[in-house]
Each structure stands twice: as structure tokens, then as C-alpha cells.
Amino acid sequence: MASQSQPTRRILNPSGTNDSIQAQQYTKGELNIDQLHADPIKQFDIWFQHAQDEKVHQPETVTLSTAELPSGRVSARMVYLKEADARGFVIYSNWGTSRKSTDVASNPYAALTFWWHELERQVRVEGPCERMESEESQVYYDTRIRGSRVGAWASQQSKVLRDRAELEGQVADVERKFEGEERIPVPAFWGGLRVKAEMVEFWQGRPSRLHDRFRYTRDGEGGWKIDRLSP
């Protein structure tokens, strides 16, 4: 019986290191516990403002990860953070047909991951989700350009399309429906999802992969406990 050949193992060269197989070293900062605010939401505000000041490209971009039960299959996608306060971190999307909607329906827990390359920083958030009321979602929806508001009605997110023309036909149908109307109501299947933080981690890249990591978790008394984690 002929032996099956094994695929050639390939070690990828990290980018930005002059084609060396050694990974790029993170040297732009350090993080100590005395630099952290006692409240992780306020600490996030500090870091987010710094990212904006330092011209990080679209610092509101975040990976939203969800998992379907009982299969346990995980899915992830890039979305935009639109709000963050003591109640949680908010993104907006389709909750009628999207993969994330079926995941959250079976398993209300989700995770967010921010990566700010220019600062060599990462923020992770974990916790249960809740849908926002239509009235709350309408406030943000009204700030979107008309094309995006129409698109929210037209797109059956994650459904299979025959071709681009089918999508454009759906958009044209919605345009006719709301012709002459400036204020378009938010669709019942679309709106905000709030991730209520139970864990927030702040990560600062350091040389030799010996990164600084601090994790906030609820202390059971209305406050937060901060732990340094091993890299």
C-alpha cells in the first residue's frame, strides 16, 4: 500500500521584519497597575481617546465573536463599536437573518476584541448580550446616511443571493417604498446589541512576547477586581 505523502509544513514569515522568521518586537509602551483606572469603562475611554489622538485607523473597528449552542461552533466578524458606557458596549446589525442573530438566540454570550496596531494595544471584552429597544436604535439609525438606512431594510443579511442584480433590485424596492420620506423607521429586525461587560482585559505589547496584561472582573460588590495575567 503506497504511503500518503505529508503536506510540506510552512512557517510563515511575519510581515515588517525584513523577511526574517523572527516576529516583530513590540516596543512602544508598557502597562503597570498604577496606570489603570479602577473602572474598566473609564479606562477604555482613556485608551480609545488616546487611539483617536494618535490617529489609529478606525479604532472603533472590533471583532465580535459569538457561538451557537448546542454545536459550540464559533463565528466572528468585524463590526463598528457605536457606543460604550457603564451599561456595556454597543454594535448595530441585522437580527433577523444574520449568523450572529442565530448564535445569540441560542447563546447570549459574546466577546469583543479591539486591536490597535499603531499603539501595540489590544482590548478584550466578554459578557452576555441584550437587544436594545427600537426607540434606542432609532436614535443611531437616524444618524446614518440614507443609503445605509435603505440598505438595512433591503439586505437579508447572510442569505444566499443569485447575483448582485438581485440585491440591487431589493434596494430599488425599498427606495420606492420610502420615496419622498426623509425619516425612515428602523426595521424591527435591525438594531443595537449591547455586550454587558463581565470581563475586560487591557493588553500592551512588550518585547519577547512578555506582554503586559490586566484583567478586570466583577468583584460581587458592585466594583471591579484587577489582576495581572501572565503573557
Side-chain angles (χ1 to χ4, degrees):
M1 183 176 178
S3 61
Q4 293 183 339
S5 60
Q6 295 296 317
T8 302
R9 185 181 177 199
R10 184 179 177 211
I11 299 176
L12 299 178
N13 289 351
S15 60
T17 54
N18 298 318
D19 296 322
S20 167
I21 63 170
Q22 269 71 50
Q24 180 178 353
Q25 296 301 301
Y26 294 142
T27 60
K28 292 185 178 179
E30 61 182 45
L31 185 62
N32 296 301
I33 195 166
D34 59 5
Q35 296 172 283
L36 296 171
H37 197 284
D39 184 332
I41 307 303
K42 292 180 178 173
Q43 181 61 42
F44 180 83
D45 285 343
I46 292 168
W47 269 26
F48 191 84
Q49 184 61 56
H50 183 58
Q52 291 181 310
D53 293 344
E54 293 298 313
K55 309 302 181 186
V56 170
H57 181 65
Q58 295 184 328
E60 67 275 17
T61 305
V62 60
T63 299
L64 169 68
S65 300
T66 54
E68 179 191 51
L69 293 179
S71 71
R73 291 179 178 174
V74 178
S75 62
R77 72 288 294 160
M78 306 301 293
V79 296
Y80 288 135
L81 179 75
K82 291 299 181 181
E83 301 169 34
D85 57 29
R87 296 172 296 172
F89 295 75
V90 176
I91 64 98
Y92 288 85
S93 188
N94 176 301
W95 301 105
T97 59
S98 67
R99 169 70 182 274
K100 68 181 83 65
S101 70
T102 57
D103 285 357
V104 170
S106 67
N107 173 19
Y109 284 84
L112 299 168
T113 307
F114 298 86
W115 168 240
W116 298 326
H117 167 76
E118 296 89 336
L119 302 176
E120 298 172 351
R121 285 178 171 176
Q122 181 179 179
V123 181
R124 296 175 54 243
V125 180
E126 296 176 1
C129 303
E130 64 179 12
R131 281 284 308 276
M132 294 170 62
E133 297 293 334
S134 292
E135 293 78 11
E136 293 181 279
S137 296
Q138 185 75 55
V139 174
Y140 164 68
Y141 187 75
D142 288 343
T143 70
R144 306 179 98 206
I145 63 170
R146 183 181 178 84
S148 294
R149 285 177 283 150
V150 168
W153 274 96
S155 174
Q156 300 175 43
Q157 194 174 91
S158 299
K159 293 292 186 181
V160 175
L161 285 167
R162 181 182 64 253
D163 50 28
R164 178 77 186 187
E166 182 180 4
L167 174 62
E168 292 175 351
Q170 293 167 349
V171 171
D173 289 343
V174 176
E175 285 283 15
R176 284 191 290 270
K177 177 178 180 178
F178 294 111
E179 186 176 1
E181 298 181 37
E182 179 51 36
R183 193 171 192 270
I184 300 174
V186 64
F189 55 81
W190 192 96
L193 183 79
R194 179 179 287 114
V195 180
K196 299 185 289 184
E198 292 183 342
M199 189 287 298
V200 185
E201 179 185 327
F202 295 87
W203 180 102
Q204 176 67 61
R206 298 293 302 275
S208 302
R209 293 297 185 263
L210 298 176
H211 312 303
D212 290 324
R213 298 176 60 194
F214 287 92
R215 179 187 63 193
Y216 291 73
T217 52
R218 298 284 185 180
D219 65 7
E221 299 178 355
W224 294 88
K225 176 186 177 185
I226 306 176
D227 293 302
R228 177 185 276 272
L229 302 181
S230 174

